[in-house]
Amino acid sequence: MLKKAVFKEDEVSTAIVIGSGFGGLASAIRLSCRGYKVIVIEKLDAPGGRAYVHHRDGYTFDAGPTIITAPFLLSELWELCGKKMSDDVDLRPMDPFYRIRFDDGTHFDYTGDPDRMRAEVAKFAPEDLPGYKRFLAEAEKCYKLGFQELSSTPFDTIKDLIRAIPSMVKMRAWESLYKLVARHLKNDKIRQVMSFHPLLIGGNPFSVTAVYALINSLERRHGVHSAMGGTGSLIKGLAGLLAGRGVQIRLNSEVKRIEVEDGKAQGVTLANGEFIPADIVVSNADAAWTYQKLIAPEHRKVWTDAKVNKSKYSMSLFVWYFGTDNQYPDVPHHMILLGKRYKELLTDIFKKHKLADDFSLYLHRPTATDPSLAPAGGDAFYVLAPVPNLESGTDWAKEAEPYRQAIAKYLDESVLPGFEKHLKTSFLMTPQDFQDRLLSVKGAAFGFEPLLLQSAWFRPHNRSEDIQGLYMVGAGTHPGAGIPGVLSSAKALMSVVAEPKKVLA
């Protein structure tokens, strides 16, 4: 029997937030402003989760999220605390948003400028300009219906799903994003440019719902930004807001179990055996991990082990972080390097769970915008390859170095000639790290794959279907991965979370 929490007569309800990623920090701020006493529990030695920051040999590396869209969702959090984000964070607009480089050396500069975008399309396929205009109209419709209407609306009951069906029909949600793009655009390169975005949130363009066309409109409306000092400066700013409200972030503290009695969350037990009581528990941890690893099976009727195991999971990531003592001004802040194969490579990654010999890459050079992230005269990079999750059976202890060498060879022969002789620091992150360090089932980098039947009501709900007083935020719940997604999950939380109340002894 658990020891019941005893509170002073004037003490308000307590909320524990598991994990200090963007979703966890945003939830903690919103709960604190709602009137809860909040405690954030973080396994790592610094806040951030997937947005952890590495400092190596004078270089600063953001571990994960580097593309900042929908900055208004961040500004809202500062405004809730009576502050201005611009006082703490310097966001810079990117131009171009991305450079998409094809394997033959040609490239498409993807921007928010309508005239320049039409010129880029015409450079490859002037005959696709009318289709491009039609695609933009489809993307705008998806933004209004999918993002503005549904992203921060919790899918708590079957009625919520039924209410959303007309909008889903208007967006042809049963159609894949690639199919939507291909209906309007004929040139293979332009199709790739307009369909790659779901890969940034763990989705296969050939499988995710066409609703994700909304990303195109989201970026055009609100831009793509970078934070000076790296994405970590946003995490630092959010943690500062919590500190200003007296909210504690307990670092180096891993939650081993969510304690449940009579179907209600009572608090959490840490790896060191300490029990922390709470009125509600909000998990920003991987949703599948939360249900399968933190809650005893007898308390789960919906998210059983069988359901968690048979769910489909996103791909994982291989990330190589490196710093050079030379600069590469021809490489923009964000660059996508597409390989020879597009659909076939994605089939290997998502469906066959096979580590292929070839790859497509995202090359991040933040020093293009903020030279302070590297020593004078140097550059900081990371290069990311989408790879299968651990269902592939890949032995990353054995395969990581050969894979890194293959990527280095490709970069040397394409956009970073001779860079290896300038390396000053280097380290890796593999799918095994996503499982072992970030506690993600199957090492999936984005949790459940964002398929239509694993989205909205079909995804783990923001208010747990199994446990009273347990709530979910982050990539694994509605609406999904990416900074806008996890921040929206924190907004959705506030529609279903219980109001704080005074708890008597």
Side-chain angles (χ1 to χ4, degrees), residues 365-435:
R365 178 180 168 248
T367 37
T369 303
D370 187 354
S372 73
L373 299 174
D379 265 335
F381 291 92
Y382 81 51
V383 61
L384 173 158
V387 294
N389 61 42
L390 292 177
E391 285 188 77
S392 69
T394 302
D395 181 355
W396 282 104
K398 191 182 297 182
E399 298 294 337
E401 180 55 20
Y403 199 71
R404 184 202 68 79
Q405 289 177 6
I407 290 173
K409 182 174 184 291
Y410 186 87
L411 292 176
D412 180 83
E413 293 172 351
S414 55
V415 295
L416 294 175
F419 80 103
E420 286 187 279
K421 64 177 176 285
H422 294 285
L423 289 178
K424 302 303 289 183
T425 192
S426 170
F427 63 102
L428 300 173
M429 186 171 186
T430 75
Q432 197 66 48
D433 296 304
F434 277 93
Q435 177 178 276

Side-chain angles (χ1 to χ4, degrees), residues 108-358:
F108 186 112
D109 277 347
Y110 194 110
T111 72
D113 182 282
D115 292 335
R116 288 164 61 196
M117 282 292 285
R118 284 192 291 270
E120 288 292 295
V121 171
K123 185 171 75 177
F124 289 91
E127 66 278 9
D128 265 342
L129 283 170
Y132 174 61
K133 183 178 180 180
R134 294 193 301 272
F135 169 70
L136 293 184
E138 295 269 17
E140 185 69 8
K141 178 172 63 179
C142 290
Y143 174 84
K144 290 176 179 176
L145 297 174
F147 186 79
Q148 290 184 326
E149 287 188 13
L150 301 178
S151 67
S152 57
T153 300
F155 282 76
D156 200 39
T157 68
I158 194 70
K159 289 181 181 178
D160 297 319
L161 175 62
I162 292 169
R163 277 194 294 268
I165 287 175
S167 292
M168 303 299 274
V169 170
K170 289 175 185 175
M171 293 184 285
R172 299 172 64 97
W174 61 88
E175 189 173 70
S176 76
L177 175 64
Y178 188 86
K179 187 173 180 180
L180 166 63
V181 169
R183 272 200 292 116
H184 298 292
L185 301 162
K186 303 307 177 189
N187 181 273
D188 187 53
K189 288 181 177 178
I190 302 301
R191 286 178 171 183
Q192 292 179 45
V193 166
M194 299 303 159
S195 68
F196 81 88
H197 283 91
L199 289 164
L200 303 176
I201 55 170
N204 180 353
F206 293 89
S207 303
V208 302
T209 168
V211 174
Y212 282 100
L214 69 84
I215 300 174
N216 179 284
S217 182
L218 178 75
E219 291 181 339
R220 282 187 293 110
R221 279 170 167 254
H222 305 291
V224 172
H225 299 79
S226 178
M228 299 299 283
T231 308
S233 65
L234 282 166
I235 297 296
K236 182 180 178 182
L238 294 171
L241 293 178
L242 287 172
R245 298 190 60 80
V247 175
Q248 178 186 13
I249 301 178
R250 291 190 53 172
L251 303 174
N252 299 301
S253 301
E254 181 180 345
V255 172
K256 275 298 185 185
R257 190 166 57 254
I258 296 170
E259 301 292 358
V260 179
E261 261 192 21
D262 300 323
K264 184 181 187 307
Q266 302 291 324
V268 301
T269 296
L270 304 184
N272 65 5
E274 179 186 359
F275 170 62
I276 306 175
D279 295 283
I280 66 168
V281 175
V282 178
S283 180
N284 181 223
D286 177 66
W289 188 278
T290 298
Y291 279 117
Q292 192 168 60
K293 306 292 187 180
L294 302 185
I295 301 169
E298 61 265 26
H299 301 305
R300 294 182 275 121
K301 292 183 179 178
V302 176
W303 289 97
T304 61
D305 286 346
K307 182 168 182 175
V308 172
N309 288 335
K310 75 177 183 181
S311 296
K312 295 183 185 301
Y313 290 84
S314 79
M315 85 289 200
S316 193
L317 303 172
F318 177 93
V319 193
W320 177 26
Y321 306 86
F322 60 93
T324 63
D325 61 7
N326 193 29
Q327 293 182 326
Y328 298 86
D330 291 338
V331 177
H333 192 117
H334 300 298
M335 179 181 267
I336 313 291
L337 297 98
L338 294 172
K340 287 187 173 73
R341 301 188 305 151
Y342 189 58
K343 182 178 182 179
E344 298 82 3
L345 176 61
L346 295 174
T347 298
D348 282 346
I349 292 170
F350 284 91
K351 298 187 182 301
K352 295 182 179 178
H353 301 291
K354 168 190 170 185
L355 182 64
D357 293 330
D358 59 331

